[in-house]
Amino acid sequence: MIDIALNGVEKYYGANQILKGVTLEIQEGERVALLGLNGTGKSTIFKILAGTEGCDKGERILRKGISIGFLEQIPLYAEGYTVREVLYSAFQDLWAVRDEMLRLEKLMTDNPTEEVLKKYGRLQELFESCAGYSIEERINRVSQGMKIDQGWYDQEFNSLSGGEKTRVKLAQLMLESPKVLLLDEPTNHLDLGTIEWLENFLKDYPGTIFAISHDRYFLDKLVTRVLELVNGQIDNYQGNFTEYLREKEERYQNQLKRYEAEQKKIEQLEAAAKRMHEWAKVADNPAMHRQAFSIEKRIERMEKTERPPAVKGMNNRFTEKDFSGEMVLVTEQVTKAYNQKTILDGCELTVRKGERVAVFGDNGSGKSTLLKILVGELSPDSGTVRIGASIRYGYLPQSVSLPDPAATILEMVRRELRESEYQVRRTLAKFNFRNEDVLKTVGNLSGGEKTRLKLCLLMQQELNLLLLDEPTNHLDIASRLWLEEALTDFQGAMIFVSHDRYFVNRFATRIVELSQGLISEFAGDYEFYKLKKAEASAQKITQKPEKQKSPQNLPKGLSRAEQPDLRKLEADISAWEAQMALLDERIRLEENNYERLMVLAKEREAIESKINDLYEQWFEFHD
């Protein structure tokens, strides 16, 4: 049964046609994603489905009695509403029942007629069947899951930040439980814990879900069908995001093969017609001319396959700078506080050559603060940061600000790179700034465009360390894939903050988690981190705390002062061995890619050498 649909919908903004006959159907209970480049009209489709915006042609079709909940990218609410009122608005119908019950209770006190008693009984039964007496409990449960502090309840909704508004509006929709959820970038601004909680909630959601998202991990976990908006129309794909990518590539290759086969056939027929015309002239034979004309008509009548558009990507790579030594960066006892609130409390972090370190933590845990301290944008209150002498780093902040907002992209990049207009245009084209785009003023760029432009500038420098704060924020899926391709061959070290678990799984060799100002380390990608966190939670519940090892268990001759050094050494050995195991798995997956195998083999050799060195130090403790 169809819950919601669009039929032949067209939409113009001025003279610009955004939607060109969009037709789609969402069946009851489906989990569907809507993908497409930024600015192609995805949010417009959701607004039309939600009824907050009309269309110029076509129709919106809704199942009779269907209820729709709509999460916009920037949630809006009427002025003056508090967070409490927004959350409680999910139960408007129940509040109406409760108010009527209160009115009847007063009547029963004054004049308890049979009719009033019966009506009160019916309403009480309805209120109980809708779990009216557990409203507070439900609100508290969802608020905890979405990390909505009760201190927010009396704040005005419109005074919240974008991320806070998203969390409150999502919570309100969960409590309301409409038949259809329209979610426009639901994971934006959420930390990993909240995203995982939301995923689990949506997996068991009894209604229909239609979502716009650039979070590929989220899409893989949730959706079973993908709609892609291309040139104002919809392409349909079965499966989750990974299956969509595979099928899209398959369709591209099949269309390209058909196009090439047809072009070859057309060339053969055109050559045959040309020869016949030439022979007809020599032999003065009208019949041969007619045959040639017949072939040309046949070419005109042929059903022709369009050439599939070549994917325009950031055909570029980072320019790397070689450096000697093993250690890239070391922090020792770094602390930082804001307004007497400690954010970092004695953080210790070591980054080695070639490592890709992902930084995790709840919102406000100090991830961005840590990166700013590493690049010298902030000073620690105490502690030290040491960066290798030959390190040349590039930093991509979460919120990119570019010099001279009044300058055009072309002017700014020419000034930064000191190159000719021709060369700068060529460079910018690799980052999808083409033709008139290069004349946009820097101050008017979107978040995604600013990120792309900053990456363009970074890639022209010789770097061996990248510090990236939410690098995929504001980027659509195509731009995320381009960025990942550019980073794949980068052999330098990377430290990055990201909630994009797809990105983390592709690049992280180690994860550091910030919690209560301290760092915990996990050798591996996001899946490994998740596994270890689950194991730790299970242990905490089922295991009694182990007794601390006594000094008698230490190797003979080892003093108390040396004990921490040994523990650190053993932790390093475990971390490098876990990294080796992860690398072995990557080598297995890349067994058909000779060039990549050569790179991974060198990396494995370096790790093996490091482990051997550490074991030699370990044996020295036991001699």
Side-chain angles (χ1 to χ4, degrees):
M1 187 183 296
I2 297 169
D3 270 351
I4 53 174
L6 295 179
N7 183 30
V9 165
E10 296 185 8
K11 180 71 179 178
Y12 290 83
Y13 289 117
N16 186 22
Q17 187 174 12
I18 301 296
L19 305 179
K20 303 172 183 178
V22 166
T23 295
L24 60 86
E25 293 177 351
I26 309 295
Q27 302 287 333
E28 183 181 8
E30 270 198 300
R31 274 88 170 105
V32 183
L34 179 61
L35 305 185
L37 297 176
N38 286 344
T40 52
K42 302 186 298 296
S43 294
T44 301
I45 286 177
F46 270 35
K47 287 173 184 174
I48 292 169
L49 285 170
T52 62
E53 197 164 311
C55 57
D56 297 306
K57 189 178 178 184
E59 59 180 337
R60 172 183 73 140
I61 302 161
L62 305 179
R63 181 157 63 88
K64 189 176 179 182
I66 202 81
S67 54
I68 295 176
F70 178 32
L71 173 74
E72 296 185 77
Q73 267 195 62
I74 303 173
L76 302 172
Y77 228 84
E79 287 294 329
Y81 270 78
T82 64
V83 169
R84 187 191 306 276
E85 288 169 326
V86 171
L87 292 174
Y88 277 68
S89 70
F91 303 103
Q92 282 178 349
D93 292 342
L94 277 176
W95 295 138
V97 171
R98 188 197 62 175
D99 289 346
E100 181 62 9
M101 286 169 63
L102 290 172
R103 189 184 72 82
L104 292 175
E105 283 173 9
K106 190 176 178 185
L107 281 177
M108 286 189 295
T109 304
D110 299 336
N111 184 21
T113 65
E114 188 176 343
E115 184 184 346
V116 170
L117 287 168
K118 280 183 181 178
K119 188 175 181 182
Y120 183 83
R122 286 196 301 271
L123 289 175
Q124 188 177 41
E125 191 177 328
L126 174 64
F127 195 71
E128 283 179 357
S129 68
C130 295
Y133 292 110
S134 63
I135 285 175
E136 294 286 348
E137 182 193 333
R138 288 152 70 187
I139 289 174
N140 287 337
R141 187 172 68 248
V142 171
S143 292
Q144 284 173 11
M146 294 304 296
K147 296 185 180 174
I148 297 168
D149 194 284
Q150 289 201 357
W152 298 6
Y153 278 24
D154 295 322
Q155 288 186 49
E156 190 173 334
F157 177 81
N158 290 332
S159 71
L160 301 178
S161 69
E164 291 166 347
K165 284 179 181 175
T166 296
R167 280 148 68 184
V168 172
K169 182 61 181 174
L170 264 172
Q172 186 247 343
L173 289 177
M174 290 175 196
L175 293 165
E176 198 173 81
S177 197
K179 294 292 183 186
V180 177
L181 279 175
L182 300 176
L183 305 176
D184 194 348
E185 295 292 356
T187 62
N188 267 12
H189 312 293
L190 303 184
D191 58 40
L192 279 175
T194 313
I195 292 171
E196 287 173 349
W197 190 91
L198 176 63
E199 279 173 353
N200 291 328
F201 180 91
L202 293 177
K203 266 189 241 175
D204 299 326
Y205 191 74
T208 302
I209 299 170
F210 194 17
I212 297 169
S213 181
H214 294 147
D215 186 333
R216 296 158 292 173
Y217 196 96
F218 174 82
L219 295 176
D220 263 348
K221 290 287 182 187
L222 185 68
V223 306
T224 54
R225 187 157 65 97
V226 171
L227 304 179
E228 185 176 24
L229 185 59
V230 182
N231 297 325
Q233 296 182 319
I234 293 288
D235 292 336
N236 185 59
Y237 297 85
Q238 292 298 324
N240 63 12
F241 175 77
T242 299
E243 288 158 344
Y244 146 80
L245 275 185
R246 186 164 51 245
E247 189 180 341
K248 185 174 182 179
E249 177 62 20
E250 218 172 271
R251 288 187 193 183
Y252 174 83
Q253 294 299 337
N254 289 339
Q255 188 177 341
L256 187 61
K257 284 175 187 172
R258 285 197 305 273
Y259 171 80
E260 289 172 345
E262 285 172 8
Q263 290 304 304
K264 189 175 179 182
K265 183 69 175 173
I266 288 168
E267 285 172 12
Q268 290 171 346
L269 291 171
E270 285 175 342
K274 185 180 178 183
R275 281 197 303 273
M276 283 188 177
H277 279 307
E278 289 169 353
W279 292 341
K281 285 178 187 175
V282 172
D284 193 19
N285 186 340
M288 292 187 77
H289 272 305
R290 284 195 295 275
Q291 282 182 318
F293 287 133
S294 175
I295 291 171
E296 287 168 348
K297 288 286 184 188
R298 180 182 165 192
I299 293 169
E300 286 176 18
R301 289 195 301 271
M302 281 177 68
E303 283 190 19
K304 298 178 182 69
T305 300
E306 285 186 24
R307 182 185 181 94
V311 178
K312 295 177 180 177
M314 296 195 301
N315 183 22
N316 212 337
R317 294 291 180 267
F318 282 91
T319 306
E320 293 180 39
K321 170 83 174 172
D322 289 333
F323 69 99
S324 57
E326 183 68 27
M327 293 303 171
V328 173
L329 176 150
V330 178
T331 71
E332 293 175 344
Q333 292 296 310
V334 166
T335 65
K336 186 69 180 177
Y338 293 111
N339 300 322
Q340 298 183 332
K341 182 184 177 184
T342 300
I343 304 296
L344 303 177
D345 188 11
C347 284
E348 303 230 340
L349 174 66
T350 298
V351 179
R352 301 171 182 87
K353 185 176 182 178
E355 277 197 300
R356 277 93 186 278
V357 180
V359 183
F360 281 5
D362 291 345
N363 289 344
S365 61
K367 303 183 298 294
S368 295
T369 297
L370 178 61
L371 257 62
K372 287 175 182 176
I373 287 172
L374 295 181
V375 299
E377 195 172 296
L378 284 176
S379 298
D381 296 334
S382 64
T384 58
V385 176
R386 289 185 287 115
I387 296 179
S390 57
I391 295 297
R392 298 290 177 271
Y393 65 80
Y395 171 50
L396 178 73
Q398 189 173 152
S399 199
V400 175
S401 82
L402 297 162
D404 196 359
T408 66
I409 294 173
L410 184 62
E411 289 167 345
M412 193 202 80
V413 177
R414 279 197 72 183
R415 192 159 56 235
E416 291 283 327
L417 301 185
R418 298 183 181 181
E419 291 177 346
S420 68
E421 180 176 332
Y422 170 75
Q423 188 56 47
V424 166
R425 279 183 177 271
R426 284 191 62 190
T427 300
L428 286 169
K430 295 174 184 177
F431 292 81
N432 270 8
F433 293 110
R434 295 180 169 87
N435 305 322
E436 298 304 309
D437 284 347
V438 302
L439 301 179
K440 288 181 179 177
T441 56
V442 170
N444 290 328
L445 298 181
S446 68
E449 288 171 328
K450 285 180 180 177
T451 297
R452 271 193 287 135
L453 188 53
K454 181 68 175 177
L455 285 167
C456 169
L457 295 172
L458 285 177
M459 283 189 180
Q460 313 315 309
Q461 302 172 32
E462 289 190 339
L463 305 171
N464 44 35
L465 170 63
L466 290 172
L467 298 106
L468 311 173
D469 195 351
E470 296 290 359
T472 60
N473 263 15
H474 312 297
L475 298 183
D476 55 35
I477 286 174
S479 299
R480 292 179 186 210
L481 291 170
W482 297 335
L483 172 60
E484 287 167 9
E485 287 307 308
L487 289 170
T488 296
D489 296 327
F490 180 68
Q491 296 302 303
M494 280 169 52
I495 306 169
F496 59 92
V497 174
S498 182
H499 293 147
D500 185 340
R501 293 159 294 170
Y502 206 94
F503 182 89
V504 173
N505 267 341
R506 185 161 181 180
F507 291 106
T509 58
R510 181 156 59 104
I511 288 171
V512 299
E513 182 180 45
L514 270 171
S515 178
Q516 296 180 340
L518 298 172
I519 282 177
S520 303
E521 300 203 16
F522 303 82
D525 60 8
Y526 174 70
E527 298 299 337
F528 181 81
Y529 160 82
K530 223 168 81 165
L531 176 67
K532 288 299 175 187
K533 292 287 282 185
E535 286 176 359
S537 293
Q539 268 185 341
K540 201 172 181 182
I541 295 167
T542 60
Q543 269 191 358
K544 292 179 182 177
E546 287 185 15
K547 287 183 180 178
Q548 208 167 8
K549 288 185 180 178
S550 63
Q552 288 90 328
N553 294 327
L554 294 172
K556 191 175 179 181
L558 191 63
S559 70
R560 289 175 183 271
E562 292 172 307
Q563 187 179 352
D565 290 336
L566 178 64
R567 285 204 303 267
K568 185 178 184 305
L569 188 59
E570 288 174 341
D572 284 349
I573 290 170
S574 297
W576 282 103
E577 284 179 339
Q579 197 166 326
M580 173 78 88
L582 187 67
L583 189 61
D584 285 340
E585 178 61 17
R586 287 187 176 177
I587 288 170
R588 187 185 67 76
L589 294 172
E590 298 280 1
E591 59 186 7
N592 297 320
N593 186 340
Y594 176 75
E595 288 183 6
R596 187 70 184 138
L597 276 177
M598 293 294 287
V599 173
L600 293 173
K602 283 183 182 176
E603 193 175 334
R604 191 185 193 285
E605 191 178 327
I607 292 174
E608 191 172 23
S609 172
K610 180 66 182 174
I611 291 171
N612 289 337
D613 289 345
L614 290 169
Y615 267 117
E616 282 182 21
Q617 295 174 46
W618 188 84
F619 284 126
E620 285 174 13
F621 274 109
H622 291 73
D623 283 345

